Amino acid sequence: MFVILKSDVENREIEKFLTGLKKTYNADARLVVKNDKKIIVIFENNLKIDVGLLKSFDFVDYIDDSGELMGLVSRFFKSDDTMISIGNKIVGEGNFCVISGPCSVESEQQIYAIAKRIKMAGCGLLRGGAFKPRTSPYSFQGLRRRGIELLLEVKRAIGLCVVSELTDLKYLDLFSDIDVIQVGARNMQNFEMLRQLGRCDKPIILKRGISNTIREWLLSAEYILSGGNDNVILCERGIRTYEPLTRNTLDISAIPMVKKISHLPIIIDPSHATGRKWMVAPLSKAAVVAGADGVMIEVHNSPSRALSDGKQSLDLDEFDNLMKNIKALVKFSKKII
Ligand code: PEP
Ligand code: MN
């Protein structure tokens, strides 16, 4: 529930109001200031809040408990675009972020070979899965702890920011030097994980769930923001439809829709969206034109030998080419980071 306060409300009135909420309802409530609006966010836990009573305070403008406002992720709370710092790079307005790397970190030789080339091509963010959420328990599950160690070695040696997927909160400590934590499609509604990630200030890439609506996706981001972490990048990675020729269906329309509703940056992942490497370039270009803030692309030094997702991975030369195409497209409006 959101209690929108009048602009001339005094701090002591807010404090008294919060104390009253705690005393009367044992409510978990906090003040959020966005766009010069002062809003009290109340996390409802079976509370029978007397809305009429809250409305009767002079300094309360109005109350929204309809869910329509979507919350802190929405432009209602913050009209200007959110910019997110990753190392010395800023994701958001004015920049186009390219994240690339293998589906899985497989070996020292593999990750170094890829990292060097993507950096040379002008890409500053390396992705690589260490803990892999695989459909079959018999498929390669990732190098796990060793995968994270390799990413951190590469980060130091080559000077790239690194992105990796957290599949379970029990591994969170291993991610302290990872620059961006990815929440994968399968964990988009792991609410305990989202709540916990709201308590850190690390940038989070939140992928859209395989069968989730945009509203559900934004509400998952709301779990992170409402915990105090505003650094969320949304990633559209294709949704499941009746179309069998692609792995998923890339919902390009999510880009303008998210941009309209939310101030958070949105990137797209054409690799997982299609499962086909030859579709990665056209859809990356479509993402630029549709107004996305970036792309995440799977790249491998030897796709035919990849331990996961080789069919959708570009080889190093193909990635070079794609970077040239993206650079040409974004040249007039944005800067590649
Ligand atoms: C990935 O990026 O490696 C991945 C598993 O993606 P998704 O969660 O979108 O399937
Ligand atoms: Mn993959």
Side-chain angles (χ1 to χ4, degrees), residues 108-119:
E108 185 173 337
Q109 183 268 337
Q110 173 241 25
I111 197 72
Y112 271 87
I114 297 169
K116 279 185 200 148
R117 282 285 298 272
I118 65 158
K119 179 154 187 188

Side-chain angles (χ1 to χ4, degrees), residues 102-104 127-129 131-134 165 182-187 207-208 210 235-238 247-248 269 272-273 296 298 308-309 312:
C103 179
S104 308
R127 62 149 285 149
F131 295 91
K132 293 302 304 175
R134 304 304 302 281
E165 179 172 350
Q182 178 175 320
V183 175
R186 290 151 191 87
N187 268 312
K207 288 195 146 191
R208 181 174 178 182
I210 291 165
C235 178
E236 158 62 39
R237 46 78 73 206
R247 187 173 174 182
N248 294 288
D269 170 352
H272 289 91
M296 179 189 266
E298 284 190 340
S308 58
D309 286 348
Q312 67 195 36

Side-chain angles (χ1 to χ4, degrees), residues 128 162 193 226 253 293 311:
V162 288
M193 180 183 280
S226 64
S253 69
D293 297 290
K311 285 204 176 91

